[in-house]
Each structure stands twice: as C-alpha cells, then as structure tokens.
Amino acid sequence: AVAAGIRHFQVFWWNGERLTRRIRAAGATVFAQVGTEGQAHEALARGADALIVQGNEAGGQVRSPVPVRELVPRVRALAGDAVPIVAGGGLADRSDLREILSLGADAGLFGTRFSLADESAVSPRDRARLLRAAPEDLVLDTRLVGTWPCAPRR
C-alpha cells in the first residue's frame, strides 16, 4: 500500500507496533486506534501521528472498558493539543458529533451508522433490525470467535 502511494494508515491492536515502524519509515501518517489511556500512551510512544479513540459503544472488535465520552477527555489530557484525536463508538448524528468535539476530539468517526445509507450493501433485513434497535439491544459478545484473540464484539 505504501508503494502504491497510500499516505494515511490506521493500525489497531497487535499489528500496531510492527506496522507503525514500516509506515513511518515510508513517510506516511499513522492513525492508531486505542481504547484506553495506556494504549494511547503506547501508540504515541511508537510514533502514532493521530489517535482514533474508540469507546465501548463501538461495533466490531471493542477494546475499551469505558464509553467514548469518558475516554476522549482522558486521552486529550494525556496526548495534549498537538495530537489529533478522532473519536468513535456510538456516534449517530450531528448532536453526537457536536458533543464529542466539545469533549476534546478533533473529529468523529461514524461506522455502523453508515450501514443505513442508501449506498450500503447491508441487507434489508439487517437494515430493518438496526432501525428497530435500541441501545440496550446491542450486546457485547465476549466469546472467543474468529482470528482476533479475546476480542469482545458488538
């Protein structure tokens, strides 16, 4: 990807350290996804240019024990003002974005929300399930499944 001219990369979890070195050596930008203050500290020590702060409301693999609205101010205090922070997990609309920006993030990351877009390849059944879902319907599955070791999934 670096050889093809890609200049911005997101790293996450086990691949972070190895990939950060290679990406930085090529002069590209590293966005490191983190779920705790400790992970943020490690990512910055490895040379991350920006942090993607994911709270426990996020879909997919979840590494954070706390909500994004609690985590962003903590990571901002750790990282200082010079490190860009993108916040994700449970963001669905502009009021969520305004709130997360007021807490110290520089940008918001919307994921599952885009499953409802007309352009999405999500099945009509899954789209309908998402539209009916309430926050308490989202379950964090802590079983060991797939190739990600010990990764709770939403």
Side-chain angles (χ1 to χ4, degrees), residues 1 7-8 10 15 24 29-30 35 48 62 71 74-75 88-89 98 100 105 109-110 113-114 121 127 130 140 146:
R7 307 309 309 153
H8 307 285
Q10 177 181 348
N15 65 0
R24 296 280 297 169
T29 303
V30 175
V62 179
L71 190 56
R74 294 179 193 174
V75 172
R98 274 195 289 268
I100 208 70
L109 180 64
F110 292 74
R113 176 65 179 96
F114 284 108
R127 183 171 290 156
L130 280 170
L140 192 60

Side-chain angles (χ1 to χ4, degrees), residues 51-131:
L51 300 173
I52 299 173
V53 177
Q54 179 199 57
N56 65 0
E57 312 92 333
Q61 282 75 26
V62 179
R63 295 185 65 201
S64 180
V66 298
V68 70
R69 286 162 178 82
E70 291 179 30
L71 190 56
V72 165
R74 294 179 193 174
V75 172
R76 174 55 71 204
L78 171 86
D81 292 333
V83 176
I85 291 178
V86 179
L91 305 181
D93 58 30
R94 75 174 126 199
S95 66
D96 291 332
L97 179 59
R98 274 195 289 268
E99 181 182 8
I100 208 70
L101 294 177
S102 75
L103 294 171
D106 297 294
L109 180 64
F110 292 74
T112 304
R113 176 65 179 96
F114 284 108
S115 298
L116 300 176
D118 292 337
E119 300 86 359
S120 172
V122 170
S123 72
R125 180 189 70 121
D126 288 342
R127 183 171 290 156
R129 290 173 71 191
L130 280 170
L131 286 169

Side-chain angles (χ1 to χ4, degrees), residues 4-37:
I6 305 298
R7 307 309 309 153
H8 307 285
F9 293 84
Q10 177 181 348
V11 297
F12 177 63
W13 209 341
W14 54 269
N15 65 0
E17 184 172 356
R18 178 177 50 85
L19 289 176
T20 296
R21 283 194 310 269
R22 294 176 75 187
I23 293 164
R24 296 280 297 169
T29 303
V30 175
F31 288 75
Q33 185 169 322
V34 300
T36 67
E37 292 156 278

